[in-house]
Amino acid sequence: KAGVTQTPRYLIKTRGQQVTLSCSPISGHRSVSWYQQTPGQGLQFLFEYFSETQRNKGNFPGRFSGRQFSNSRSEMNVSTLELGDSALYLCASSLGPGPTDTQYFGPGTRLTVL
Amino acid sequence: AQSVTQPDIHITVSEGASLELRCNYSYGATPYLFWYVQSPGQGLQLLLKYFSGDTLVQGIKGFEAEFKRSQSSFNLRKPSVHWSDAAEYFCAVGLFTGGGNKLTFGTGTQLKVEL
């Protein structure tokens, strides 16, 4: 079974631009979560979607948004990029949003903001 | 709020030596605990998880972890380290809130293996 796929793998943007990252979950998984990883802040939870509904949101500004489609694929969007948004963005999928639904991670999208 | 502490930022061990990576958590209820490993430029790979039951859990690649409620710990162990184990290791606690699941991660432990 194919794992979680994320596209693109690498992205370079300039300040003020916006960016959209895509995540395709493991087949049959209906929950998708997003995390930001930076050297300074570590791994931080962004948000989680299940059945096209946002179930949880982390402490990030409104510039960070996401959505989930009926086929469980998810996108996250960052508007008005700042230098501090440079990070590895990781997507994880799980069967559902329950506490015992293990999250499996994709390889990430490396975003560099210049 | 829940939190996870990994006190060791870097650890160096010789190949063939035993390994223990420490993890302490702060969480009011029964924790759902995980260990993930990340190789350079890669995503996170699940090593093992603890939800309930036997407090000693076995994972992939010869790793095991022991849940100790009295010490709020979930330390990762491996009896004999291989050079390919060099990577960054993250302990995480799962929180089910608002109808959804989120992981809170520790800051990670970078493992270096000397040949």
Side-chain angles (χ1 to χ4, degrees):
Chain A
K1 185 180 284 190
V4 178
T5 58
Q6 293 186 245
T7 57
R9 290 293 310 278
Y10 302 92
L11 207 50
I12 299 175
K13 293 287 188 179
T14 56
R15 279 181 301 173
Q17 287 186 310
Q18 76 165 16
V19 67
T20 299
L21 312 182
S22 181
C23 172
S24 293
I26 293 170
S27 177
H29 285 194
R30 296 174 60 199
S31 180
V32 173
S33 299
W34 290 89
Y35 294 82
Q36 181 196 63
Q37 185 178 26
T38 61
Q41 300 297 318
L43 280 153
Q44 293 186 288
F45 171 78
L46 279 158
F47 28 65
E48 180 199 16
Y49 287 87
F50 176 72
S51 292
E52 302 177 65
T53 302
Q54 187 179 90
R55 296 298 184 105
N56 254 315
K57 190 178 193 309
N59 295 324
F60 280 83
R63 300 185 297 107
F64 291 81
S65 63
R67 60 178 175 169
Q68 186 180 35
F69 302 95
S70 58
N71 61 359
S72 297
R73 192 177 68 84
S74 176
E75 290 181 345
M76 68 163 282
N77 183 273
V78 188
S79 63
T80 319
L81 283 166
E82 300 177 0
L83 295 179
D85 297 332
S86 294
L88 180 67
Y89 290 88
L90 292 164
C91 167
S93 77
S94 57
L95 283 170
T100 59
D101 290 318
T102 302
Q103 295 185 29
Y104 296 90
F105 284 79
T109 293
R110 172 75 62 184
L111 172 64
T112 301
V113 182
L114 303 176
Chain B
Q2 76 278 18
S3 65
V4 179
T5 301
Q6 293 181 247
D8 304 306
I9 299 174
H10 296 97
I11 282 186
T12 299
V13 298
S14 299
E15 190 176 33
S18 62
L19 171 70
E20 182 168 28
L21 302 182
R22 295 183 290 164
C23 172
N24 292 97
Y25 66 90
S26 172
Y27 187 57
T30 300
Y32 301 96
L33 296 163
F34 306 82
W35 275 99
Y36 286 88
V37 61
Q38 185 177 36
S39 298
Q42 302 296 314
L44 300 173
Q45 181 182 22
L46 178 70
L47 285 175
L48 47 78
K49 58 191 176 185
Y50 172 78
F51 295 153
S52 64
D54 192 348
T55 56
L56 184 64
V57 293
Q58 303 296 320
I60 62 171
K61 303 185 179 185
F63 285 93
E64 66 178 27
E66 187 171 13
F67 170 62
K68 294 185 177 180
R69 185 185 298 276
S70 61
Q71 299 177 21
S72 298
S73 69
F74 188 56
N75 294 347
L76 182 71
R77 301 193 294 248
K78 187 170 185 178
S80 178
V81 170
H82 188 262
W83 64 267
S84 60
D85 293 325
E88 190 157 23
Y89 291 79
F90 293 92
C91 181
V93 61
L95 173 66
F96 185 67
T97 179
N101 191 8
K102 61 177 280 191
L103 292 174
T104 297
F105 286 89
T107 50
T109 297
Q110 186 71 49
L111 173 65
K112 179 180 176 181
V113 180
E114 291 183 333
L115 301 176

